């Protein structure tokens, strides 16, 4: 189990970073300096992962279901609507939480909170 958890955390990070990079890049004409910011902390009882970007943001018509399967803000023919759903499923599997917000600086911030004890224990409690 200990080898599986790091892979799940890498999957969470990878999906959030991929989305942030794409959002910031696609908004480069409106923002002179596209950026993403990644913050990871394990100083408390939680492991906190934050990924922020200055992309266009989550459209209001999908903001309440952005974490559901098939929901996407991307305007391409590629398969989309899976990444944030997968992140949500993995966070739930690890008894954590995920939230997102549009900040005062007009950036999008996704925050993941995982209980340190759950992540470092060999067994994970099932989600009911």
């Amino acid at each position: 189990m200990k080898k599986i958890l790091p892979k799940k955390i890498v999957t969470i990070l990878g999906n959030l970073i991929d989305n942030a990079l794409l959002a910031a890049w696609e908004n480069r004409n409106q923002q002179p300096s596209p950026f993403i910011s990644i913050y990871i902390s394990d100083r408390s009882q939680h492991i906190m992962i934050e990924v922020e970007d200055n992309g266009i943001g989550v459209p209001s018509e999908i903001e309440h279901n952005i974490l559901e399967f098939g929901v996407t803000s991307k305007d391409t023919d590629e398969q989309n609507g899976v990444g944030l759903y997968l992140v949500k499923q993995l966070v739930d599997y690890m008894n954590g939480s995920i939230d997102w917000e549009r900040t005062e600086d007009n950036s999008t911030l996704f925050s993941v909170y995982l209980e340190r004890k759950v992540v470092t224990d060999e067994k994970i409690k099932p989600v009911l």
Side-chain angles (χ1 to χ4, degrees):
M1 186 64 72
K2 287 189 177 191
K3 290 183 180 181
I4 294 172
L5 284 178
K7 290 180 182 180
K8 291 184 185 316
I9 293 172
V10 167
T11 299
I12 290 169
L13 269 168
N15 277 288
L16 292 175
I17 292 169
D18 185 54
N19 284 349
L21 285 169
L22 185 59
W25 181 251
E26 286 182 345
N27 199 36
R28 67 189 179 281
N29 294 329
Q30 285 73 33
Q31 295 285 342
S33 299
F35 83 86
I36 71 163
S37 171
I38 303 162
Y39 176 79
I40 301 172
S41 171
D42 71 344
R43 288 183 271 170
S44 67
Q45 295 176 2
H46 294 90
I47 293 174
M48 182 172 64
I49 300 169
E50 292 184 337
V51 178
E52 181 179 9
D53 68 73
N54 67 343
I56 197 148
V58 178
S60 59
E61 58 269 10
I62 62 170
E63 66 184 16
H64 297 293
N65 20 1
I66 190 65
L67 301 175
E68 294 177 12
F69 181 78
V71 177
T72 184
S73 62
K74 297 177 181 87
D75 190 25
T76 66
D77 292 334
E78 295 178 26
Q79 182 182 10
N80 291 306
V82 178
L84 288 176
Y85 171 78
L86 178 59
V87 168
K88 173 76 168 117
Q89 295 302 305
L90 292 172
V91 168
D92 287 350
Y93 176 79
M94 292 187 278
N95 299 323
S97 65
I98 181 170
D99 194 16
W100 71 273
E101 65 180 301
R102 197 71 180 160
T103 69
E104 292 178 6
D105 296 330
N106 209 29
S107 62
T108 303
L109 174 66
F110 278 86
S111 302
V112 172
Y113 304 93
L114 305 171
E115 289 184 42
R116 178 186 259 184
K117 182 176 178 10
V118 172
V119 172
T120 56
D121 281 353
E122 287 191 35
K123 295 183 179 177
I124 297 177
K125 303 169 197 166
V127 178
L128 302 176

